[in-house]
Amino acid sequence: MFHIITGVLGYNALKNIKSRLKMQEKLSIKKVYRNAYRYVASHLFAFAFLTIFYFLGSLLPMIFGSSSFWGVSLAYNYLFFYFAAGCYYKQRILWDREVFTAAGLRFLLAIVLFVLSIFVSSLAINVGIHIIGRLFPVHGPAAVSAVLESLPWLLAKRIFIFFLFIAFFIVPSFAFVSEITGKKRSLVAAYSKTKGDLPRIAAVVAGTFLLLWLSMLALSFVNVFLASLVRAAILVFISILYFKMYDFFYCFPQTRRDSRTAKDETEKALPRRDASGRFAAADTNGMKEKKADTTDDKAETDNLSEGEDNAG
């Protein structure tokens, strides 16, 4: 009995140490890009299929006209990312109305948060300009006008909007993916898991914007359909980068080797659905247990061990 108690205490102490080390581990920009490239190289058929899927969707605004461009693009982009997440995490969710609706609401919530953050920021800036004009009625308006038209201000405004996009769309949309994977779906969990890593997330997203801009610049003189096809391929790669960041924060295996060596852990971490598209009873019980932090901590601990082996 004494040996059993000692062993349990030792195991719990080791688990706590590894959990603390996991909390100190930061997102690696290099590994995110490397793992995304390796995923594409090992899943060429799925990559080509998703590329064609997105390319055909990009033609819809041409069919429906420019007046419905934003609405059609938003709807199809959601459908694409929903389907891509289902393919990536191997979940049979295409005809699951409950998951489709819940994920859609979280996707819209992320968009609303981003738009609302821009609105509040613009309102605060306009109030500040109004106050300056009242306090300095002679030179204030002219000085403010000169600042707003300056290049540093325009650059700072775009950088600020970019960080609003990271903080109020990219991070909240992790909850959208969690509706598909069965992980913790709350916005609080999304912000808690990404705490301290926002600059690294921003660096990954900035790299995707640069990649997309350079590709469009290089293809600006070629056929519009070829340019759209290449853009679709790049956007599929960007979506895989996004899933790789999600894998890191939500403790999924990030490489094929991790997937093979942690097959049992992956099945526990990723609830499976039955033929009707619903979570199986055993998985539902597992999901309820995840609301307590015990199972989630174990997944993080196991993933840390696998990450150390991979780094080695």
Side-chain angles (χ1 to χ4, degrees), residues 5-224:
I5 295 175
T6 305
V8 171
L9 293 176
Y11 172 77
N12 290 334
L14 180 62
K15 185 174 71 172
N16 290 334
I17 292 174
K18 288 186 176 182
S19 298
R20 291 175 183 177
L21 290 174
K22 175 61 182 177
M23 292 175 63
Q24 296 174 357
E25 187 180 358
K26 298 299 182 181
L27 178 70
S28 172
I29 302 170
K30 178 181 177 181
K31 287 182 179 180
V32 169
Y33 276 88
R34 182 194 64 190
N35 293 337
Y37 169 77
R38 289 178 176 176
Y39 179 87
V40 171
S42 60
H43 297 79
L44 290 177
F45 178 79
F47 179 77
F49 177 78
L50 289 175
T51 298
I52 296 174
F53 184 80
Y54 191 87
F55 169 72
L56 294 176
S58 66
L59 302 180
L60 290 179
M62 301 180 186
I63 299 174
F64 288 97
S66 58
S67 59
S68 59
F69 174 80
W70 289 108
V72 173
S73 296
L74 179 62
Y76 194 83
N77 273 280
Y78 167 68
L79 182 62
F80 166 76
F81 283 112
Y82 177 81
F83 183 71
C87 292
Y88 181 86
Y89 292 104
K90 299 180 180 178
Q91 293 284 18
R92 291 174 290 184
I93 57 171
L94 191 57
W95 309 115
D96 193 324
R97 293 182 181 179
E98 182 180 348
V99 176
F100 183 84
T101 303
L105 290 176
R106 295 193 181 277
F107 187 77
L108 286 176
L109 177 61
I111 295 176
V112 170
L113 284 175
F114 175 54
V115 174
L116 187 62
S117 67
I118 294 178
F119 174 77
V120 172
S121 300
S122 301
L123 182 63
I125 291 173
N126 290 330
V127 170
I129 293 173
H130 179 74
I131 293 175
I132 292 175
R134 286 294 188 90
L135 294 177
F136 307 97
V138 179
H139 303 288
V144 169
S145 178
V147 170
L148 295 180
E149 294 175 359
S150 65
L151 181 61
W153 169 259
L154 296 177
L155 181 61
K157 182 173 69 173
R158 283 167 173 75
I159 294 175
F160 181 69
I161 293 176
F162 173 74
F163 277 100
L164 289 179
F165 176 73
I166 299 298
F168 294 101
F169 179 77
I170 294 295
V171 174
S173 60
F174 282 147
F176 149 73
V177 183
S178 293
E179 282 289 348
I180 297 171
T181 63
K183 283 280 190 174
K184 292 183 177 179
R185 305 167 179 83
S186 69
L187 292 178
V188 176
Y191 281 107
S192 176
K193 290 177 179 296
T194 57
K195 182 180 179 180
D197 273 313
L198 288 182
R200 293 172 179 82
I201 297 175
V204 173
V205 177
T208 63
F209 283 173
L210 180 62
L211 177 64
L212 185 61
W213 179 75
L214 290 177
S215 64
M216 290 298 99
L217 185 65
L219 296 169
S220 58
F221 302 103
V222 301
N223 183 274
V224 63

